[in-house]
């Protein structure tokens, strides 16, 4: 069934919208709309960043902000409870929430049920299916609301949401959902190992939209770091959080001989930004590093095109948090940038070490320093890796492939909702 002929609207539950660091979600939503899918967005948080990407302006779906904290909108929550408790699925949803609360007696768990009450009460009759982005809190809200309304729900699982919640919660959400999609092979293997029905879990890469990231119109200069007036431009894009390994990057850069000239630009906000800036000062690197903060997609694209080498030394944090397949690697490769990253999660699914980029072990500043020094000194190698990475990213990892697969899933779910008995 084509999405153009599928009846009903999909309610998409998001943790926050719009968010600069989640362009992959925005691109996906836009691609689904372009294929005729009717969407309504429900966000658990309001935006905290002063700018958005152009793609956010192109998404037509309306956005409703659920109460982030229940005490901020008690009247709205109470009215929603009065309405939701009259729906046939309320008792089952309340029982599911209480079972979860016994194992996770937290305010967060209670807040998710309150948000689900608002979602279930305020959704218009046109909503025929719910979909959550992230398997942790958004999926909890979608699950409870779906039970209340007697609807099916699905989920896109990504990274932190998979690896930082307990197995019991993953198993129960896998069993309760119509289907789950995830963006790396290692994620899919993990979830399939927990699911009673493995085919319920799809592997679906986010992909790169080459209409927004067209190939660079020029060749990069062949600088090798020997001339202080022509330093090699390094770029890293990512929030200043532990799993990005940016302190490992600073430690590696401090190990490169001083007569090899480079400059680093960092794009992104994050809680560790000041700590990283202080570390750069202590290592004597401050004059070589530009901290640009969070930027729009247009500015990020310009930064990719101004760089000679991209680096992102991801790692697994102590709480299990990790990246899946960072979209910034795809974006960098779309601009024919040679990329250096680490052998964790889904990154080796994109980067074949020595062929489409360079991979080093996580938390290994010495090895990372050697790789960076070699690439800084060898523009021909950077060019070869950049061309190969470009071919892989824009071929096998096209956003259109993933969007086509998703729209088939949604169309089937909407068709099933039409065949289901009429719900209250």
């Amino acid at each position: 069934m084509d999405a153009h002929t599928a009846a009903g609207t999909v309610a998409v539950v998001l943790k926050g919208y719009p968010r600069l660091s989640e362009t992959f979600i925005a691109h996906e939503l836009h691609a689904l709309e372009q294929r005729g899918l009717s969407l309504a967005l429900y966000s658990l948080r309001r935006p905290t960043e002063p700018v958005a990407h152009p793609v956010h302006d192109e998404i037509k779906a309306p956005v409703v902000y659920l109460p982030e904290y229940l005490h901020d909108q008690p009247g709205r929550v109470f009215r929603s409870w009065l309405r939701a408790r009259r729906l046939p699925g309320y008792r089952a949803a309340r029982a599911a929430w209480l079972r979860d609360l016994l194992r996770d007696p937290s305010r967060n768990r209670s807040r998710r049920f309150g948000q689900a009450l608002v979602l279930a009460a305020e959704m218009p009759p046109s909503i025929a299916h719910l979909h959550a982005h992230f398997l942790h809190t958004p999926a909890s809200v979608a699950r409870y609301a779906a039970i209340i309304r007697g609807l099916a729900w699905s989920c896109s699982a990504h990274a932190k949401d998979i690896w930082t919640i307990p197995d019991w919660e993953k198993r129960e959400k896998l069993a309760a959902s119509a289907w789950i999609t995830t963006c790396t092979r290692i994620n899919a293997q993990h979830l399939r190992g927990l699911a009673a029905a493995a085919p319920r879990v799809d592997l679906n890469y986010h992909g790169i939209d080459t209409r927004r990231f067209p190939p660079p119109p020029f060749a990069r200069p062949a600088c090798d770091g020997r001339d202080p007036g022509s330093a090699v431009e390094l770029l890293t894009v990512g929030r200043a959080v532990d799993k990005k390994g940016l302190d490992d990057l600073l430690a590696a850069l401090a190990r490169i001989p001083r007569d090899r000239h480079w400059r680093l630009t960092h794009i992104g906000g994050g809680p560790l930004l000041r700590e990283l800036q202080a570390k750069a000062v202590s290592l004597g690197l401050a004059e070589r590093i530009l901290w640009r903060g969070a930027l729009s997609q247009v500015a990020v694209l310009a930064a990719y095109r101004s760089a000679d080498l991209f680096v992102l030394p991801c790692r697994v944090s102590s709480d299990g948090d990790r990246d899946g397949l960072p979209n910034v690697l795809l974006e960098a490769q779309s601009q024919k940038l040679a990329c250096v990253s680490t052998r964790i999660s889904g990154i080796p699914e994109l980067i074949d070490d020595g062929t489409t980029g360079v991979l080093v072990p996580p938390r290994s500043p010495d090895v990372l320093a050697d790789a960076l020094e070699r690439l800084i000194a060898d523009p021909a190698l950077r060019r070869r890796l950049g061309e190969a990475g470009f071919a892989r990213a824009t071929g096998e990892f096209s956003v259109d492939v993933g969007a086509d697969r998703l729209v088939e899933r949604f169309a089937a779910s909407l068709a099933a909702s039409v065949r289901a008995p009429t719900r209250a």
Side-chain angles (χ1 to χ4, degrees):
M1 174 179 284
D2 192 302
H4 291 274
T5 61
T9 295
V10 176
V12 183
V13 182
L14 304 153
K15 189 171 184 180
Y17 181 87
R19 299 186 73 180
L20 290 178
S21 61
E22 294 176 358
T23 54
F24 60 93
I25 293 177
H27 289 158
E28 181 180 289
L29 295 174
H30 183 260
L32 292 174
E33 283 193 334
Q34 292 296 103
R35 285 158 175 77
L37 198 66
S38 174
L39 303 175
L41 310 183
Y42 291 85
S43 177
L44 309 186
R45 293 179 180 174
R46 291 185 176 273
T48 58
E49 296 156 322
V51 295
H53 295 307
V55 66
H56 291 120
D57 295 329
E58 298 171 26
I59 295 170
K60 297 181 175 62
V63 185
V64 174
Y65 291 97
L66 301 175
E68 182 173 354
Y69 297 101
L70 305 184
H71 61 260
D72 289 340
Q73 296 181 311
R76 185 183 180 191
V77 176
F78 181 68
R79 289 190 299 273
S80 296
W81 173 72
L82 288 177
R83 184 176 178 185
R85 68 194 293 267
R86 295 194 296 267
L87 297 175
Y90 174 77
R91 285 179 174 272
R94 183 175 180 273
W97 167 61
L98 289 174
R99 287 194 300 271
D100 292 344
L101 189 64
L102 284 173
R103 292 169 291 188
D104 175 28
S106 65
R107 293 179 64 186
N108 179 64
R109 183 68 60 178
S110 298
R111 184 160 68 247
R112 300 313 163 204
F113 188 65
Q115 291 171 320
L117 293 174
V118 177
L119 175 58
E122 295 183 353
M123 280 192 301
S126 58
I127 300 296
H129 183 84
L130 282 81
H131 185 77
H133 262 287
F134 295 107
L135 191 57
H136 52 359
T137 50
S140 295
V141 174
R143 179 191 176 196
Y144 300 143
I147 296 172
I148 294 170
R149 289 289 294 266
L151 298 173
W153 68 281
S154 55
C155 178
S156 292
H158 300 291
K160 177 180 181 179
D161 54 314
I162 297 173
W163 301 102
T164 61
I165 63 174
D167 284 352
W168 66 261
E169 184 169 355
K170 285 179 275 194
R171 286 193 184 96
E172 292 187 9
K173 286 177 175 175
L174 285 161
S177 62
W179 47 272
I180 299 283
T181 184
T182 190
C183 52
T184 71
R185 189 179 303 120
I186 192 169
N187 287 353
Q189 290 170 345
H190 174 71
L191 293 174
R192 286 168 183 164
L194 296 171
R200 182 174 282 134
V201 180
D202 273 352
L203 169 60
N204 196 22
Y205 293 113
H206 295 306
I208 186 73
D209 186 347
T210 53
R211 290 165 293 241
R212 299 183 189 280
F213 289 88
F218 50 81
R220 290 180 170 82
C223 48
D224 60 9
R226 289 184 293 181
D227 179 3
S230 184
V232 175
E233 298 290 344
L234 312 182
L235 175 65
T236 188
V237 180
R239 296 185 69 243
V241 292
D242 182 77
K243 66 181 178 181
K244 301 297 182 183
L246 297 176
D247 54 341
D248 291 333
L249 174 57
L250 296 179
L253 292 171
R255 288 164 165 80
I256 296 174
R258 301 295 294 184
D259 60 355
R260 190 65 70 175
H261 300 283
W262 55 266
R263 287 191 295 263
L264 172 70
T265 295
H266 170 262
I267 295 175
L272 300 181
L273 195 55
R274 289 188 178 181
E275 181 179 323
L276 290 166
Q277 291 169 337
K279 181 168 184 174
V281 171
S282 68
L283 292 172
L285 304 176
E287 293 183 357
R288 295 190 179 202
I289 301 177
L290 177 62
W291 308 91
R292 297 192 63 189
L295 297 176
S296 70
Q297 194 172 75
V298 173
V300 174
L301 175 58
Y304 286 132
R305 292 182 169 184
S306 298
D308 299 303
L309 178 62
F310 187 84
V311 55
L312 190 70
C314 301
R315 64 194 187 190
V316 179
S317 296
S318 58
D319 64 354
D321 189 12
R322 69 200 72 183
D323 276 306
L325 177 51
N327 218 54
V328 292
L329 290 171
L330 287 164
E331 293 173 0
Q333 288 189 327
S334 78
Q335 299 308 299
K336 301 186 179 182
L337 266 178
C339 292
V340 182
S341 195
T342 50
R343 297 187 186 93
I344 69 160
S345 300
I347 295 172
E349 297 170 40
L350 172 68
I351 296 179
D352 182 9
D353 183 34
T355 303
T356 59
V358 172
L359 296 179
V360 301
R363 300 183 184 274
S364 302
D366 287 332
V367 183
L368 179 58
D370 290 342
L372 290 174
E373 184 179 357
R374 176 164 57 96
L375 286 163
I376 288 170
D378 193 340
L381 176 59
R382 296 199 304 269
R383 187 176 302 110
R384 176 173 64 79
L385 294 174
E387 291 285 350
F390 169 81
R392 181 161 174 74
T394 58
E396 297 176 54
F397 289 83
S398 165
V399 71
D400 292 324
V401 174
D404 288 344
R405 187 179 181 93
L406 273 177
V407 85
E408 290 177 4
R409 277 289 204 179
F410 282 121
S413 293
L414 291 171
S417 74
V418 171
R419 294 192 297 269
T422 302
R423 302 175 176 88

